[in-house]
Amino acid sequence: MTTPPALDAHPHRWRALVLIATAELLGMGVWFSASAASPRLQELWGLTASQTGWLTGVVQLGFVAGTALAAVLNLADLLPSRWYFAASAVLAAAANAALVMADGYGSALVLRFLAGVFLAGVYPPAMKMVATWFRSARGLAIGTVVGALTVGKATPYLLRAFPSLGWREVVLAASVGALAAAVLVGAGYREGPFPFARRPFAWGLIGQVARDRPVRLAVYGYLGHMWELYAAWTFISLFFVDFFAGHGASEVAAEARAGVVGFATIAAGGVGSVLAGRWADRLGRERITIWAMAASGLCALLMGWLLRAPAWLAVAVALVWGFSVVADSAQFSALVTELAPEHAVGTALTLQTAIGFLLTTVSIAAVPHLRDAGGWPLAFGLLAVGPALGIAAMRRLESLRSPPAAG
C-alpha cells in the first residue's frame, strides 16, 4: 500500500504541474487580447481612453459573473475538472475570435464579457487541479501556475510588437492558444492523489466566512493587491506608448516598443510568482505579501513621474513593478485555504475572487480619467493606495497569528 508520505512525493506531480502551467500560459492570452490591440481599436471605432479601458474592465465583470455562476451551480464539483477546463477554454476562444467580426464597440463589449465568463472555467479550476497533486510545496506549485498564467496574459503584448501582425492576427493567435490549452488538458490531465471532497454551495456559508476575522483580513489584503494589479497590467503598455512617442519614436515604433515592454513587465510577474511561492513556504505568507506590496506600491508612486526619464530607468522600474505586483497573488489564496473553516474553503475562495475582480473594474475605470485630469503621476499614484491598505491588513493578520511572547 502507498503511504501518504510517498504519495506526497508522487513521481508524476511535476509532470502534472508542467502540463497545467503550460495550459494556463496558452489559455490566458484571451484576457488581454483586446487590450493589446486597443490602440488600433481606439482608432478604428473612435474610442475614448475610458472606453478603451472598458475593453479590459468588462472582462473582469464577466469573470466575476462566471465565477459566481459556477459556484451557485456547483460546476467545479459536478463536472470532471479536465472537461470543465477544456470546454471553458474552447468557449473563451470562440468568444475572443468573434471579436474580429465585431461591428462596433457595443458588440465588442458583449464578446469581451462572454470571454470573461468562460475564463472563469479556465483560471480557478487550475488551482484546484494542481492542488490535487501537491500537499508539500503547494505554495511553489500554485505560484508556478499563477506565474504561467501571468506570462500567458502578457503574450498578446509581445505579438503586438511585430508590425507585420495586425490586431486581428493578435486576437486570433490568443484564441488558438486557448484551443491548444483545451486539447492539452482534455487529452493529458488526470486528477492527483489528493482529490477534494465534493461540497455543495450554500449561501449560509458566506456569513460564516465574513464573520471569521483572520479570513476577513486575508481578503482585505487581497483587495488591496487587486486594486493595483489589473490596472497596472492594463495601462503600463499605454504609458510606454506615450513614453516612446515623447522620446521621438514614430507611432508604429512607439507601439511596437511599448508592446515589448508591456510583455516584459507582465511576464516578470511570472518569475515573481514562482520565487514568492518558494519564499512564502519558508518565510511566511504574510511577510512575503507585505514585502511585495511595499515594492509594488513604491513603483506605482514612481512610474508616472518617469515619462521624460531615460529609457533604461523607466523600463527598470516597470520590470520591478511587474515582478512585485503579482508576486503575492497566489499567497492570498493559499492563506484563505489555510484560514477558512475546512467546510467553507470553496465559498471563501469564491467570495475573495468575486469581490477582488469586481474591485478591479473600479481602478481600471478610474485610471484614464485621472490621467486626463492630472497625468500619469496621479493615475498610477492612486494605485498605491491599494498596497498601503493591504499592508495594514496583513500586518494585523501577522500579529493575530503570531504566538504570544513568553511572559
Side-chain angles (χ1 to χ4, degrees), residues 65-85 87-88 91 117-118 120-122 125 128 198-201 350:
T67 303
L69 182 65
V72 171
L73 298 180
N74 204 17
L75 294 181
D77 289 326
L78 292 175
L79 303 175
S81 293
R82 63 173 174 151
W83 299 125
Y84 180 34
F85 180 106
S88 298
L91 292 171
V117 170
F118 298 134
V122 176
K128 178 182 177 183
R198 295 188 175 187
R199 301 182 185 278
F201 182 83
T350 300

Side-chain angles (χ1 to χ4, degrees), residues 8 13 20 25 41 52 87-88 102 111 125 137 183 188 197 199 203 254 280 283 293 295 301 304 347 368 385:
D8 203 33
R13 67 176 184 162
I20 296 166
L25 189 153
L41 296 177
T52 302
S88 298
L111 291 170
V183 172
R199 301 182 185 278
W203 286 108
L283 302 175
M293 286 189 286
L301 290 173
T347 298
V385 173

Side-chain angles (χ1 to χ4, degrees), residues 25 34 43 57 132-133 183 190 206 208 210 223 240 298 330 354 385 406:
L25 189 153
E43 180 182 339
T132 68
W133 284 96
V183 172
R190 297 296 183 273
I206 293 178
Q208 183 176 346
L223 295 182
F240 274 100
L298 179 60
V385 173

Side-chain angles (χ1 to χ4, degrees), residues 16-36:
L17 177 59
V18 169
L19 185 148
I20 296 166
T22 303
E24 284 294 292
L25 189 153
L26 292 170
M28 296 308 292
V30 168
W31 201 297
F32 283 124
S33 62
S35 299

